[in-house]
């Protein structure tokens, strides 16, 4: 799979020939606006982990340009369904076989309200797999023992996207423990450097993972990695 970083928790993933966009936050993110052109971003599905503005900001416009399906929790999916967008709603613990692969919605410890304060359901992560590859997108979350359920209930992970910026989510040291829980040594960091309170020392974070024999990839916004 090819994973391109869009900034914050945003990613464009080519998975099994389909284009999945995760948590797009580009127009409101000064770090991303000059590097990502949302008008040409291809999306078959847009996966939203929760309703916070730094995760859903560009979902509507990208969905409309591409006639894409928004996949999220019931409350977020219903919000977009009312706008005439195609949606697929899920809830925690459930999985569904899509044309590109299987998606399981998993727990995340965080909150989820829309920018106007209205209820956004509960936040989630996603595990996505097909016969040869499997990715965990944690979303905004604390370190939680629930992560230990992932290797028990899903195929072996090829890669995981974990938040590392601290303050609103776990920091990189907790993310290293999370990588043990999920039994995955190839990690892509997210949710850092976008705001002053989540600024990290990138070298410190990557060396910390190295010390444990793990690889933390910190992608430049707009750049992609093939896993
Ligand atoms: Ni959030
Ligand atoms: Mn966030």
């Amino acid at each position: 799979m090819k994973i391109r970083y869009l900034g914050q928790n945003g990613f464009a993933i080519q998975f099994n020939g389909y284009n999945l966009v995760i948590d797009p936050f580009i127009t409101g993110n000064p770090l991303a606006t000059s590097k990502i052109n949302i008008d040409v971003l291809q999306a078959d599905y847009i996966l939203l982990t929760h309703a916070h503005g730094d995760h859903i900001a560009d979902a509507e416009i990208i969905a409309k340009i591409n006639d894409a399906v928004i996949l999220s929790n019931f409350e977020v999916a219903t919000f977009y369904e009312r706008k005439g967008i195609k949606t697929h709603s899920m809830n925690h613990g459930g999985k569904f076989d899509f044309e590109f692969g299987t998606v399981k919605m998993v727990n995340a410890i965080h909150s989820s309200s829309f920018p106007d304060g209205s209820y956004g359901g509960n936040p989630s992560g996603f595990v996505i797999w097909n016969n040869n590859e499997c990715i965990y997108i944690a979303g905004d979350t604390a370190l939680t023992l629930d992560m230990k359920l992932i290797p028990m209930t899903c195929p072996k992970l090829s890669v995981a996207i974990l938040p590392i910026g601290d303050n609103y989510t776990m920091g990189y040291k907790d993310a290293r423990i999370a990588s043990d829980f999920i039994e995955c040594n190839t990690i892509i960091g997210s949710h850092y450097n976008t705001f002053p309170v989540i600024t990290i020392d990138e070298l410190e974070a990557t060396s910390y993972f190295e010390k444990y024999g793990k690889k933390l990839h910190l992608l430049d916004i707009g750049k992609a990695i093939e896993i």
Side-chain angles (χ1 to χ4, degrees), residues 8-9 23 49-50 52-55 110 139-140 168-169 191 195 198:
Q8 192 62 340
N9 197 53
D23 288 355
T49 59
H50 62 295
H52 286 160
D54 61 317
H55 296 256
H110 191 66
D140 287 6
Y168 298 117
T169 66
H191 218 273
F195 314 116
I198 58 171

Short mmCIF file of all heavy atoms in Angstrom, two decimals, residues 8-9 23 49-50 52-55 110 139-140 168-169 191 195 198, ligand 2:
data_model
loop_
_atom_site.label_atom_id
_atom_site.label_comp_id
_atom_site.label_asym_id
_atom_site.label_seq_id
_atom_site.Cartn_x
_atom_site.Cartn_y
_atom_site.Cartn_z
N GLN A 8 -1.42 16.61 10.09
CA GLN A 8 -2.22 16.25 11.27
C GLN A 8 -2.53 14.75 11.25
O GLN A 8 -1.61 13.95 11.27
CB GLN A 8 -3.49 17.13 11.35
CG GLN A 8 -4.24 17.05 12.65
CD GLN A 8 -3.49 17.50 13.90
OE1 GLN A 8 -2.27 17.56 13.94
NE2 GLN A 8 -4.23 17.81 14.96
N ASN A 9 -3.80 14.31 11.20
CA ASN A 9 -4.04 12.86 11.08
C ASN A 9 -4.54 12.51 9.67
O ASN A 9 -5.17 11.49 9.48
CB ASN A 9 -5.05 12.40 12.15
CG ASN A 9 -5.02 10.88 12.33
OD1 ASN A 9 -3.97 10.31 12.57
ND2 ASN A 9 -6.16 10.22 12.18
N ASP A 23 -9.27 11.40 7.61
CA ASP A 23 -9.27 12.64 8.40
C ASP A 23 -8.67 13.87 7.69
O ASP A 23 -7.69 14.47 8.18
CB ASP A 23 -8.50 12.41 9.72
CG ASP A 23 -9.26 11.54 10.71
OD1 ASP A 23 -10.42 11.18 10.45
OD2 ASP A 23 -8.67 11.21 11.77
N THR A 49 -12.26 9.46 11.84
CA THR A 49 -12.13 8.82 13.15
C THR A 49 -13.03 9.46 14.20
O THR A 49 -13.44 8.80 15.15
CB THR A 49 -10.68 8.87 13.66
OG1 THR A 49 -10.27 10.25 13.76
CG2 THR A 49 -9.73 8.13 12.72
N HIS A 50 -13.29 10.76 14.07
CA HIS A 50 -14.20 11.46 14.97
C HIS A 50 -14.53 12.83 14.39
O HIS A 50 -14.06 13.17 13.31
CB HIS A 50 -13.63 11.53 16.40
CG HIS A 50 -12.34 12.29 16.53
ND1 HIS A 50 -11.17 11.88 15.96
CD2 HIS A 50 -12.04 13.42 17.20
CE1 HIS A 50 -10.20 12.72 16.27
NE2 HIS A 50 -10.70 13.68 17.01
N HIS A 52 -14.02 16.04 15.41
CA HIS A 52 -13.26 17.27 15.64
C HIS A 52 -12.81 17.91 14.32
O HIS A 52 -12.50 17.20 13.35
CB HIS A 52 -12.03 16.99 16.52
CG HIS A 52 -12.38 16.74 17.96
ND1 HIS A 52 -11.54 16.09 18.84
CD2 HIS A 52 -13.49 17.08 18.67
CE1 HIS A 52 -12.13 16.03 20.04
NE2 HIS A 52 -13.30 16.61 19.95
N GLY A 53 -12.75 19.25 14.36
CA GLY A 53 -12.46 20.02 13.15
C GLY A 53 -11.15 19.65 12.48
O GLY A 53 -11.05 19.69 11.24
N ASP A 54 -10.14 19.30 13.27
CA ASP A 54 -8.85 18.95 12.67
C ASP A 54 -8.85 17.55 12.06
O ASP A 54 -7.80 17.02 11.70
CB ASP A 54 -7.71 19.09 13.70
CG ASP A 54 -7.87 18.19 14.90
OD1 ASP A 54 -9.00 18.08 15.42
OD2 ASP A 54 -6.87 17.58 15.33
N HIS A 55 -10.07 16.96 11.92
CA HIS A 55 -10.19 15.64 11.29
C HIS A 55 -11.21 15.62 10.16
O HIS A 55 -11.12 14.80 9.26
CB HIS A 55 -10.53 14.57 12.35
CG HIS A 55 -9.44 14.43 13.36
ND1 HIS A 55 -8.55 13.39 13.36
CD2 HIS A 55 -9.05 15.26 14.36
CE1 HIS A 55 -7.66 13.58 14.33
NE2 HIS A 55 -7.94 14.70 14.95
N HIS A 110 -10.79 9.27 23.68
CA HIS A 110 -10.69 10.67 23.25
C HIS A 110 -12.09 11.26 23.41
O HIS A 110 -12.88 10.74 24.20
CB HIS A 110 -10.20 10.68 21.79
CG HIS A 110 -9.78 12.01 21.25
ND1 HIS A 110 -8.70 12.69 21.73
CD2 HIS A 110 -10.30 12.77 20.26
CE1 HIS A 110 -8.56 13.81 21.04
NE2 HIS A 110 -9.53 13.89 20.15
N GLY A 139 -6.25 6.94 15.14
CA GLY A 139 -7.03 8.16 15.39
C GLY A 139 -6.48 8.87 16.61
O GLY A 139 -5.40 8.55 17.11
N ASP A 140 -7.23 9.84 17.13
CA ASP A 140 -6.80 10.51 18.36
C ASP A 140 -7.11 9.58 19.53
O ASP A 140 -8.26 9.23 19.75
CB ASP A 140 -7.57 11.82 18.55
CG ASP A 140 -7.12 12.91 17.60
OD1 ASP A 140 -6.29 12.63 16.71
OD2 ASP A 140 -7.59 14.05 17.74
N TYR A 168 -3.12 16.35 23.42
CA TYR A 168 -4.48 15.91 23.06
C TYR A 168 -4.57 14.40 22.87
O TYR A 168 -5.66 13.83 22.83
CB TYR A 168 -4.94 16.56 21.76
CG TYR A 168 -5.05 18.05 21.80
CD1 TYR A 168 -4.25 18.85 20.97
CD2 TYR A 168 -5.95 18.69 22.65
CE1 TYR A 168 -4.35 20.23 20.99
CE2 TYR A 168 -6.04 20.07 22.69
CZ TYR A 168 -5.25 20.83 21.86
OH TYR A 168 -5.34 22.19 21.87
N THR A 169 -3.43 13.77 22.70
CA THR A 169 -3.38 12.32 22.44
C THR A 169 -2.16 11.77 23.19
O THR A 169 -1.45 12.52 23.84
CB THR A 169 -3.15 12.03 20.94
OG1 THR A 169 -1.83 12.50 20.58
CG2 THR A 169 -4.19 12.70 20.06
N HIS A 191 -0.48 13.56 14.11
CA HIS A 191 -0.98 14.45 15.15
C HIS A 191 0.14 15.12 15.95
O HIS A 191 0.12 15.14 17.18
CB HIS A 191 -1.94 13.69 16.09
CG HIS A 191 -3.13 14.49 16.53
ND1 HIS A 191 -3.08 15.31 17.64
CD2 HIS A 191 -4.37 14.63 16.03
CE1 HIS A 191 -4.26 15.89 17.80
NE2 HIS A 191 -5.06 15.50 16.82
N PHE A 195 0.07 22.32 15.96
CA PHE A 195 -0.15 23.42 16.92
C PHE A 195 1.03 23.46 17.88
O PHE A 195 1.68 22.43 18.11
CB PHE A 195 -1.44 23.18 17.73
CG PHE A 195 -2.63 22.75 16.90
CD1 PHE A 195 -3.20 21.50 17.09
CD2 PHE A 195 -3.18 23.60 15.94
CE1 PHE A 195 -4.29 21.09 16.34
CE2 PHE A 195 -4.27 23.20 15.19
CZ PHE A 195 -4.83 21.94 15.38
N ILE A 198 1.50 20.66 20.51
CA ILE A 198 1.81 19.29 20.08
C ILE A 198 3.10 19.24 19.26
O ILE A 198 3.32 18.30 18.48
CB ILE A 198 0.64 18.61 19.34
CG1 ILE A 198 0.20 19.39 18.09
CG2 ILE A 198 -0.55 18.44 20.28
CD1 ILE A 198 -0.82 18.62 17.23
MN1 LIG B 2 -7.21 15.86 16.64
#
